[in-house]
Amino acid sequence: MKNILASLLPTRAAEQKASSTTKRINLALQGGGAHGAFTWGVLDQILSDERLSIEGISGTSAGAMNAVMLADGLCRGGREEAQKRLADFWRSASSNGNLPVLQRAVVERLLSFTPLEGTPAQAWFNALSRYFSPYDVNPLNINPLKDLIERFVDFEKLRADTDLQLFISATNVQTGRVRIFSRDKITADAVMASACLPLLFRAVEIDGVPYWDGGYLGNPVIFPFFRTTATEDVLVVQINPLVRQATPMSSSEIMNRINEITFNSSLIGEYRAIDFVARLIDQGKLPRGIGPGQYRRINIHRIVLDRFGTHFDAFSKLSTDYDFFDMLHVSGKRAARRFLDEHFDDIGVKSTVDLRAEAQAEWA
């Protein structure tokens, strides 16, 4: 939390805010397996809305995939190219796509958290993961994911684009700290690191440092925007629900709920810090502005998969059928339209998420 609070104090002047005709936003994209196709739909709708301009993007795991596809399309040819890039990626990632066998296998593992309950695959996975690690079953560290990512993204051109801020998070295995890869440092390896679930893939080494999935410590990260963008509005696309009414009973339901809680914990920490600073600004105890000694008052907005798809669960995170992706895509577009219909006027004015209610502890 200390690092988050420090980042709310800008160290350099940011750009001037956008004109009144276009509202700038930053996008923070969660990871969550195949449910990342919902984020594709949200992004598709945002790109179709000329009233919005994207200043910064943050992504983790599957959210990192969406983030680099979006950024690559924007720097290549603008909104339409970004829409095409996202559509092409999710079509290829589906079981109906045209990926080679090895790339198909790695994408299906990437978009899955655990195998289906009650299947021979689950029994095999449970036995294998209990006694063997990815280092045992994959001694040559074969991972075709890098080739797949580079097939879609021109990282050299992406790193050279100074008009868009881009951040990918991963977990440093040795220090237990979040590693933020900024636009000028992002490579296919960085995206692989952000999506590296440790029971499925060997740690991704970058400059001799091993990294695991970024979702453990930043899913997604928000604080890098505070020093690098002019807008104070962040739209979080959240695909791991905070609340579940039913108590999980089966082993897969329990593990799924543990994943949801774990992969939301860092986001809740950021909410708590942002709310704390906002209250101090409102009370006149901290100066608000851009520049040395000034703090940012961040407006948080959110589009959540759970509200529009309560029937989605751990099992559906495994589906790589294109019809399922398309259903999530349509749900994402619908969710984004509803959000903009209800809250467009709030962008640049106030948060549409009650951060205090989201982040407060429960007291006995």
Side-chain angles (χ1 to χ4, degrees), residues 8 75 117 132 143 241 252 258 273 280 285 298 329 336 339 356:
L8 283 163
C75 74
E117 182 181 23
F132 300 99
N143 190 337
S252 63
I258 290 173
L280 292 179
K285 296 179 179 179
I298 303 301
H329 171 252
F339 167 80
R356 194 172 308 177

Side-chain angles (χ1 to χ4, degrees), residues 32 41 52 54-55 63 100 114 147-148 169 185 201 218 243-244 248 262 276 317 345:
L52 295 174
I54 301 169
E55 188 175 3
T114 55
D147 293 336
L148 171 64
S169 62
K185 301 294 184 182
F201 302 107
V243 178
R244 291 283 191 186
T262 301
F276 177 66
K317 287 179 181 176
D345 291 340

